[in-house]
């Protein structure tokens, strides 16, 4: 059998104390509120979430988000195919399959980081189970269902497995859907919502926040022999549609009937080429040897993605957008135990990403602009990464431990020649882009140095410094058109603006210092308080500047302050700093009333553009959570209050808008039987209206193809009150 006890013990001793780990006990109560695995991270110190679609939030760690983080699902570095990053890495795994999460919010070891300047997130499904020696095959099954009143969200998850002593086979499936969610009762929208035949919606609905048919299926085969384990995973995700209220497009798997494209609901399905399908093959190996542990992995990802406008939006014309993406990756890592006090990790990882992003021509009201060729946003996009790393962990004595690591990453990017719909509005931009040397060859270096001091059983201190590097992604480098309608389709931050790529971007280089103090009782049961402070300076930070001559042929965007604008990616410098505080306290136990405890969480981050003096975009304001927890037998109850300060420091270059402060109350209750668990929740108990600080621009209705076609100046509203319930049964 695998020596899992030894591996886990070493891992706990070696990794930074700033790592937050969440297992089944912590995750079980969170699944009732969401079908988005990213929201499972909301109670992690230093973590917040960019709003997106119903299952596609983008994680943020200490002000750095999305591609600036290394996000892995069962060890796979999955890539978004969409120019709006609609299919983010965590959208590919349903919350019902998530068994554990590790979040590196502070200094990230080079073995866990790479091609990122923020932290790392490792999400894993349940490990395989095997029958005990001499026992008959083990058969297990699970079934679950949920319902959330706000949006009438509903879905199910099922699973089954059969396992002998050396082989295990499991199957998991989930499906979820939701109508538009509703904001609190005093939600009042700006004008221009029912323009040009958009579908009428209720006054309190948040348009295009619905999704349907998020179907996930996974088949896993595991084999073991003494100290060796091999797991082959096959999975598929299909999505009928998903609305994005802070984007100008939506994920759709169907297209309007050419006979009458203006009739709501008149859709056809392309059965020969189904859209919004993600397929994964993942082969993993773990082996225990006398000298340590060996890990190997290779995976393949295929994504067929399609965007268009759902019926809540402008319905006078459609704009189909197609993407094909392929990613291959792998890892080989050895953890060598040199002595009782020294461990060395050596390894290599790679990733090959291929991307085609094109928009078929259409007729309709603007035939001159969207006829008569395929518009190639990115053609033959390539991004290849090869990493080598070495890491040394030394436990000098019972009090002092150090971790030092060095990583080298080679990143090569390229794209082929492009074309627009026609030669009229696009020829000059296409000629300019095609004349460029588009190949990029970056050689990046990362290093980490971390020291931990443990003077006694009730306190631990840790200080670390790191240099981390990230090369730009394909959608920062290669979108080329300055025509407003095309540029507005390239935006993965949800601010309503249009973006033009920049093939001359340099890699971001971040220098981080972080310190953490962890105080607790000797057994870490009665009380604990953890405080972390950090600062990061980023050279060549990829931010944005207003697009004007000679790139854009107008100066309008340079001075506009009350509408959406066109921007171009550019290297500048940035600084981020802040603190995270988390704690728990056992308030006591009574024979009749059970256990009482409390938890607190507080986060603060500040981000500045040091080149322009502007604020960085989407910085979460000061926020705190306080939870009172009651346990009696198998019955758990939680009363939670969440307060968020007003967001007043905003990005001027993006015309970001402020959001007011708010406070929300949530109530949760769960009960566990031997083979069942029931979760109940009232979310936003008092139906408080609020605007999401990281919600982006509310673009739910109106013409999305121009900077003036959607009312400017409103952030995405949060959810009103919702009654949530989930039941899970195991056999």
């Amino acid at each position: 059998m695998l020596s899992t006890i030894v591996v886990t013990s070493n891992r706990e001793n070696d990794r930074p104390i700033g790592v937050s780990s969440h297992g089944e006990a912590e995750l079980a109560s969170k699944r009732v509120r969401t079908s988005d695995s990213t929201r499972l991270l909301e109670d992690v110190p230093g973590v917040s979430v960019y709003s997106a679609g119903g299952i596609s939030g983008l994680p943020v760690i200490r002000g750095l988000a999305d591609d600036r983080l290394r996000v892995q699902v069962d060890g796979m570095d999955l890539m978004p195919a969409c120019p709006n990053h609609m299919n983010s890495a965590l959208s590919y795994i349903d919350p019902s399959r998530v068994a554990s999460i590790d979040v590196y919010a502070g200094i990230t070891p080079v073995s866990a980081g790479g091609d990122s300047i923020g932290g790392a997130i490792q999400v894993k499904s349940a490990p395989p189970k095997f029958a005990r020696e001499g026992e008959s095959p083990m058969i297990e099954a699970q079934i679950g269902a949920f319902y959330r009143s706000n949006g009438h969200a509903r879905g199910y998850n099922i699973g089954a497995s059969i396992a002998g002593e050396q082989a295990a086979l499991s199957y998991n499936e989930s499906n979820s859907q939701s109508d538009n969610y509703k904001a609190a009762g005093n939600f009042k929208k700006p004008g221009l919502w029912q323009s040009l035949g958009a579908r009428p919606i209720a006054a309190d609905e948040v348009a295009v926040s619905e999704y349907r048919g998020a179907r996930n299926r996974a088949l896993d085969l595991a084999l073991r022999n003494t100290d060796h384990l091999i797991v082959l995973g096959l999975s598929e995700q299909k999505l009928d549609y998903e609305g994005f209220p802070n984007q100008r497009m939506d994920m759709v798997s169907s297209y309007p009937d050419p006979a009458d494209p203006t009739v709501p609901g008149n859709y056809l399905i392309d059965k020969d080429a189904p859209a919004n399908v993600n397929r994964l093959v993942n082969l993993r190996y773990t082996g225990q040897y006398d000298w340590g542990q060996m890990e190997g992995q290779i995976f393949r990802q295929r994504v067929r993605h399609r965007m268009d406008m759902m019926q809540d939006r402008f319905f006078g014309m459609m704009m189909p957008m197609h993407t094909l993406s392929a990613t291959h990756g792998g890892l080989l890592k050895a953890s060598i135990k040199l002595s009782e006090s020294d461990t060395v990790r050596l390894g290599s990882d790679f990733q090959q990403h291929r991307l085609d992003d094109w928009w078929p021509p259409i007729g309709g009201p603007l035939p001159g602009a969207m006829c008569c060729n395929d518009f190639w946003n990115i053609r033959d996009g390539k991004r290849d990464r090869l990493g080598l790393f070495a890491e040394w962990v030394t436990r000098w004595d019972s009090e002092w431990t150090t971790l030092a690591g060095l990583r080298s990453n080679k990143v090569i990017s390229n794209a082929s020649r492009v074309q627009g719909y026609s030669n009229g509005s696009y020829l000059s931009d296409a000629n300019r882009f095609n004349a460029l040397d588009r190949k990029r060859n970056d050689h990046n270096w990362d290093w980490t140095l971390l020291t931990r001091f443990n003077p006694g059983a009730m306190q631990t201190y840790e200080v670390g410094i790191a240099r981390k590097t990230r090369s730009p992604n394909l959608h920062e480098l290669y979108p080329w058109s300055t025509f407003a309608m095309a540029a507005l389709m390239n935006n993965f931050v949800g601010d309503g603006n249009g973006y033009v790529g920049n093939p001359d971007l340099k890699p971001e280089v971040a220098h981080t210092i972080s310190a953490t103090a962890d105080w607790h009782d000797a057994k870490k049961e009665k009380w604990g308080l953890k405080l972390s402070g950090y600062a990061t300076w980023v050279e060549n930070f990829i931010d944005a500047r207003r697009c004007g001559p000679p790139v854009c042929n107008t100066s309008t965007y340079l001075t506009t302050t009350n509408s959406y604008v066109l921007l171009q990616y550019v290297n500048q410098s940035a600084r981020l700093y802040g603190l995270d505080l988390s704690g728990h306290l056992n308030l006591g136990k009574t024979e009749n009333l059970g256990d009482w405890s409390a938890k607190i969480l507080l986060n603060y981050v500040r981000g500045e553009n040091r080149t322009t003096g502007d604020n960085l975009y989407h910085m979460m304001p000061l926020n705190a959570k306080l939870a009172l927890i009651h346990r009696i037998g198998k019955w758990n109850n939680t009363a939670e209050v969440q307060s968020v300060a007003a967001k007043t420091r905003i990005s001027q270059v993006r015309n970001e808008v402020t959001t007011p402060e708010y406070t929300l109350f949530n109530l949760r209750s769960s009960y566990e039987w031997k083979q069942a668990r029931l979760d109940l929740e009232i979310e936003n108990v008092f139906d408080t209206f609020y605007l999401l600080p990281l919600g982006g621009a509310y673009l739910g209705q109106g013409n999305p193809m121009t900077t003036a076609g959607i009312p400017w100046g409103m952030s995405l509203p949060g959810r009103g009150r919702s009654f949530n319930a989930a039941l899970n049964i195991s056999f």
Side-chain angles (χ1 to χ4, degrees):
M1 296 178 64
L2 286 174
S3 303
T4 54
I5 295 178
V6 175
V7 173
T8 302
S9 177
N10 285 339
R11 185 167 176 262
E12 291 292 338
N13 291 334
D14 293 349
R15 64 182 185 177
I17 62 174
V19 177
S20 297
S21 295
H22 293 254
E24 181 61 30
E26 295 87 359
L27 297 174
S29 63
K30 299 177 183 179
R31 298 189 183 108
V32 66
R33 76 186 70 161
T34 185
S35 298
D36 181 359
S37 293
T38 309
R39 289 197 63 194
L40 299 178
L41 305 169
E42 288 180 330
D43 293 332
V44 177
V47 176
S48 51
V49 177
Y50 278 16
S51 298
I55 65 169
S56 305
L58 299 172
V60 188
I61 298 179
R62 295 180 172 179
L64 299 172
D66 200 9
D67 277 1
R68 293 190 169 108
L69 311 176
R70 187 175 189 185
V71 182
Q72 295 177 300
V73 177
D74 282 332
M76 297 179 288
D77 292 294
L78 303 179
M79 297 293 286
C82 173
N84 301 151
H85 284 196
M86 291 178 176
N87 35 31
S88 55
L90 295 184
S91 70
Y92 295 126
I93 182 169
D94 187 78
S96 63
R97 284 204 71 213
V98 176
S100 66
I101 300 176
D102 289 335
V103 178
Y104 293 78
I107 300 297
T108 305
V110 295
S111 59
D115 199 26
S116 60
I117 63 171
I121 299 172
Q122 298 174 347
V123 173
K124 298 178 182 179
S125 57
K129 295 181 180 180
F130 297 91
R132 295 181 179 179
E133 185 176 355
E135 293 186 355
S136 58
M138 179 177 62
I139 300 176
E140 295 183 342
Q142 306 86 35
I143 185 170
F146 70 86
Y147 177 78
R148 297 187 285 272
S149 66
N150 194 334
H152 301 294
R154 60 273 191 202
Y156 69 84
N157 58 272
I158 58 174
S161 64
I162 181 170
E165 295 180 31
Q166 295 182 322
L169 182 67
S170 65
Y171 174 79
N172 289 274
E173 179 179 316
S174 63
N175 193 313
S176 61
Q177 65 184 51
S178 175
D179 301 335
N180 288 336
Y181 75 80
K182 296 183 178 182
N186 60 345
F187 175 33
K188 296 181 180 178
K189 301 173 187 159
L192 215 153
W193 294 117
Q194 303 303 330
S195 65
L196 300 172
R199 179 179 70 86
I201 64 174
D204 55 355
E205 279 188 60
V206 176
V208 292
S209 58
E210 60 185 316
Y211 61 94
R212 186 182 73 182
R215 297 180 296 275
N216 294 272
R217 296 182 292 178
L219 181 68
D220 293 290
L221 173 65
L223 303 172
R224 73 172 181 180
N225 181 12
T226 314
D227 291 332
H228 304 277
L229 174 68
I230 296 176
V231 180
L232 174 63
L234 307 174
S235 63
E236 179 186 75
Q237 181 193 73
K238 290 185 177 181
L239 184 67
D240 288 347
Y241 61 76
E242 182 180 10
F244 286 78
N246 63 355
Q247 293 288 357
R248 296 170 180 269
M249 289 283 117
D250 306 297
M251 290 178 69
V252 296
S253 61
S254 55
Y255 59 93
D257 187 345
D260 192 349
T262 64
V263 176
N266 200 17
Y267 284 117
L268 301 178
I269 302 294
D270 189 344
K271 296 181 179 180
D272 296 327
N276 296 320
V277 177
N278 175 72
R279 293 189 173 99
L280 296 169
V281 179
N282 189 17
L283 180 64
R284 293 168 283 165
Y285 164 77
T286 305
Q288 288 291 127
Y289 298 86
D290 292 339
W291 48 264
Q293 184 184 42
M294 176 71 76
E295 296 177 49
Q297 181 172 16
I298 188 167
F299 71 88
R300 184 192 73 178
Q301 179 190 24
R302 291 284 190 274
V303 180
R304 185 179 182 94
H305 174 63
R306 186 185 189 280
M307 293 194 298
D308 214 320
M309 287 177 280
M310 289 170 53
Q311 297 169 23
D312 290 357
R313 300 184 191 267
F314 167 67
F315 202 78
M317 62 180 290
M318 308 304 288
M319 185 178 175
M321 303 171 68
H322 295 274
T323 303
L324 287 177
S325 171
T327 303
H328 298 80
L331 164 75
L332 186 64
K333 182 174 74 172
S335 297
I336 305 170
K337 192 172 180 60
L338 301 179
S339 66
E340 289 299 318
S341 58
D342 293 276
T343 301
V344 170
R345 302 187 187 102
L346 303 173
S348 176
D349 49 29
F350 76 95
Q351 183 189 65
Q352 293 181 325
H353 181 53
R354 299 292 181 267
L355 179 73
D356 280 318
D357 186 14
W358 77 100
W359 313 340
I362 63 171
L366 300 174
M370 302 179 68
C371 177
C372 303
N373 305 312
D374 286 342
F375 182 104
W376 282 93
N377 192 41
I378 295 179
R379 191 172 197 171
D380 298 327
K382 301 178 180 67
R383 191 180 190 274
D384 297 335
R385 171 175 60 82
L386 176 63
L388 300 170
F389 61 85
E391 199 166 78
W392 176 32
V393 181
T394 301
R395 287 173 288 281
W396 301 96
D397 53 34
S398 61
E399 295 183 345
W400 291 95
T401 302
T402 60
L403 181 151
L406 181 67
R407 169 183 278 270
S408 170
N409 274 337
K410 184 81 168 179
V411 182
I412 300 175
S413 303
N414 205 349
S416 296
R417 295 168 61 88
V418 296
Q419 69 178 26
Y421 289 113
S422 64
N423 289 333
S425 303
Y426 306 98
L427 183 60
S428 61
D429 282 349
N431 287 342
R432 172 179 55 83
F433 180 85
N434 292 334
L436 297 175
D437 180 7
R438 298 176 296 279
K439 187 174 183 179
R440 292 290 314 277
N441 195 331
D442 301 329
H443 195 180
N444 303 327
W445 290 94
D446 294 358
W447 55 262
T448 294
L449 179 60
L450 194 69
T451 299
R452 183 165 68 238
F453 177 51
N454 187 5
M458 298 178 65
Q459 52 189 315
T460 305
Y461 304 95
E462 190 172 78
V463 177
I465 56 175
R467 180 189 196 269
K468 304 169 76 173
T469 313
R470 178 188 78 98
S471 288
N473 63 45
L474 295 180
H475 285 110
E476 290 169 326
L477 290 169
Y478 298 126
W480 52 274
S481 178
T482 63
F483 190 64
M485 181 275 297
L488 289 169
M489 304 302 127
N490 290 282
N491 181 322
F492 46 82
V493 295
D495 63 4
N497 298 305
Y499 284 82
V500 180
N502 185 349
D504 294 326
L505 289 175
K506 300 176 182 178
E508 297 178 322
V509 181
H511 306 273
T512 298
I513 181 170
S514 179
T516 300
D518 187 3
W519 302 283
H520 47 77
D521 68 283
K523 294 184 178 181
K524 299 184 179 181
E525 295 176 351
K526 295 181 179 180
W527 65 273
L529 184 67
K530 186 181 293 186
L531 177 65
S532 297
Y534 57 90
T536 298
W537 293 264
V538 188
E539 302 172 16
N540 298 321
F541 185 81
I542 299 176
D543 210 330
R545 65 184 174 195
R546 297 291 180 92
C547 191
V551 177
C552 288
N553 60 4
T554 177
S555 300
T556 302
Y557 306 121
L558 300 178
T559 56
T560 300
T561 60
N562 59 352
S563 71
Y564 302 110
V565 296
L566 297 196
L567 304 164
Q568 185 181 32
Y569 294 111
V570 64
N571 288 121
Q572 295 175 330
S573 63
R575 179 177 66 183
L576 300 98
Y577 57 91
L579 60 86
D580 307 321
L581 183 147
S582 60
H584 67 274
L585 175 64
N586 190 333
L587 299 176
K589 180 179 181 179
T590 62
E591 183 176 351
N592 296 324
L593 298 179
D595 294 326
W596 296 84
S597 61
K599 288 186 177 181
I600 187 173
L601 178 67
L602 184 144
N603 301 310
Y604 172 77
V605 63
R606 176 86 167 92
E608 304 168 323
N609 186 311
R610 303 297 291 171
T611 301
T612 65
D614 198 3
N615 299 296
L616 296 184
Y617 177 68
H618 254 15
M619 293 294 106
M620 185 70 178
L622 176 68
N623 62 94
K625 285 184 179 179
L626 178 63
L628 178 64
I629 303 166
H630 169 243
R631 297 183 177 91
I632 181 168
K634 296 183 178 296
W635 187 26
N636 293 342
N637 302 287
T638 301
E640 178 185 82
V641 58
Q642 175 188 10
S643 291
V644 179
K647 184 177 72 174
T648 57
R649 294 190 175 104
I650 55 176
S651 171
Q652 302 292 341
V653 70
R654 290 176 168 83
N655 286 340
E656 186 181 9
V657 297
T658 61
T659 58
E661 63 182 15
Y662 62 90
T663 297
L664 305 178
F665 292 87
N666 305 304
L667 295 175
R668 291 188 291 274
S669 183
S670 66
Y671 191 86
E672 291 186 77
W673 294 270
K674 184 177 181 180
Q675 293 178 306
R677 177 187 174 99
L678 175 66
D679 286 277
L680 302 173
E681 179 183 54
I682 306 177
E683 189 177 9
N684 192 358
V685 173
F686 300 113
D687 201 27
T688 301
F689 176 76
Y690 63 104
L691 298 175
L692 292 160
L694 304 187
Y698 182 29
L699 307 175
Q701 291 179 289
N703 182 357
M705 295 188 180
T706 71
T707 56
I710 294 176
W712 171 84
M714 184 174 182
S715 294
L716 182 66
R719 293 177 181 272
R721 181 169 47 235
S722 182
F723 297 91
N724 308 330
L727 176 64
N728 288 275
I729 303 172
S730 59
F731 306 93

